[in-house]
Amino acid sequence: MKLDNWLAQRSQSCPDRIALAADGVDVTYAELEAEATWVARRLAAHGVRRGSIAALTMHPRREQVVLFHALMKVGATLLPLSPRLTAIERAAIVAAEEPTVDLDDAGELTQTEADLPLLGENDMDDVCARVLTSGSSGLPKPVGLTYGNFLWSAVGSGFNIGVDPADRWLCCLPLSHISGLGIVMRSVIYGTAAVLHDGFDVDRAAAALEEDGITVVS
């Protein structure tokens, strides 16, 4: 079963709705689509294609979300790595996964863009991301999550707590963890806003709950 690219779909159905609030800036779905398309072509210029693995080691920020969506547009698999991994843990994962690109800053990509068609659809059974386990019984191990996994997770969450187009979901969690990554994915599936903090700070989170129109928080 094929799924329309979630971000491209939202940029058509609700282009002016806020998709992401991060780093002090509100980004609409149309703006996020334009950024992700541009970055997708830069990733493609680095040889990232359908089936490639892209390792991203970043603290939560806007450009990380843009890269997530850019990877979906070329059909590559996201491998989000925590900056808190030890050097030994990280080296073992990179050696085993052999990513096509290994980034800790989007600025490492050149400005060159590849002129190739981007994907307008993704297959339900294709692996979208490989997310690490906690490593509580050994080294962390990547677990493949398909587009279908993310879709049905969003459906289940929607049934449990409901969805409103005006929802703003506060994410103070790392995007290398499924809890944080799931918020970004659910928000684009729903067409709602993700409010992204670069970490958890109790005063900042409390202020966001009071002042930023937050309706859901993890």
Side-chain angles (χ1 to χ4, degrees):
M1 179 178 174
K2 298 288 186 180
L3 299 168
D4 288 337
N5 177 266
W6 294 316
L7 179 57
Q9 184 181 53
R10 288 302 171 194
S11 73
Q12 293 295 317
S13 64
C14 49
D16 298 326
R17 190 180 296 170
I18 299 301
L20 178 69
D23 308 324
V25 177
D26 287 347
V27 183
T28 67
Y29 274 102
E31 291 168 338
L32 188 57
E33 165 72 4
E35 286 188 49
T37 297
W38 179 58
V39 173
R41 296 193 186 283
R42 292 168 66 197
L43 286 166
H46 278 254
V48 179
R49 297 287 190 275
R50 184 193 291 270
S52 298
I53 294 177
L56 304 183
T57 308
M58 300 180 183
H59 292 287
R61 59 186 191 266
R62 170 180 170 170
E63 67 177 351
Q64 191 176 16
V65 177
V66 172
L67 279 161
F68 290 174
H69 288 295
L71 290 169
M72 287 189 268
K73 289 184 177 295
V74 294
T77 299
L78 165 69
L79 179 66
L81 301 179
S82 170
R84 298 175 63 184
L85 288 172
T86 67
I88 292 173
E89 288 172 331
R90 194 181 188 288
I93 294 159
V94 170
E97 296 293 303
E98 299 182 333
T100 302
V101 291
D102 185 1
L103 303 173
D104 57 21
D105 191 325
E108 296 170 14
L109 294 172
T110 66
Q111 299 301 306
T112 304
E113 297 181 40
D115 184 15
L116 84 169
L118 300 179
L119 299 183
E121 295 180 327
N122 298 102
D123 194 285
M124 284 266 286
D125 294 328
D126 284 348
V127 175
C128 177
R130 290 176 60 74
V131 180
L132 299 186
T133 62
S134 62
S136 56
S137 61
L139 288 174
K141 302 173 186 66
V143 175
L145 297 173
T146 66
Y147 286 89
N149 290 146
F150 284 111
L151 175 64
W152 291 116
S153 174
V155 170
S157 179
F159 273 115
N160 281 327
I161 64 175
V163 180
D164 186 295
D167 275 340
R168 291 169 64 86
W169 199 317
L170 176 60
C171 178
C172 309
L173 300 160
L175 301 187
S176 55
H177 192 279
I178 187 57
S179 295
L181 180 58
I183 293 170
V184 171
M185 294 299 191
R186 284 193 294 271
S187 295
V188 72
I189 291 169
Y190 297 152
T192 56
V195 180
L196 181 66
H197 288 186
D198 57 6
F200 179 74
D201 175 84
V202 65
D203 293 329
R204 187 181 179 196
L209 292 172
E210 189 171 74
E211 302 166 6
D212 289 351
I214 302 301
T215 59
V216 191
V217 62
S218 298

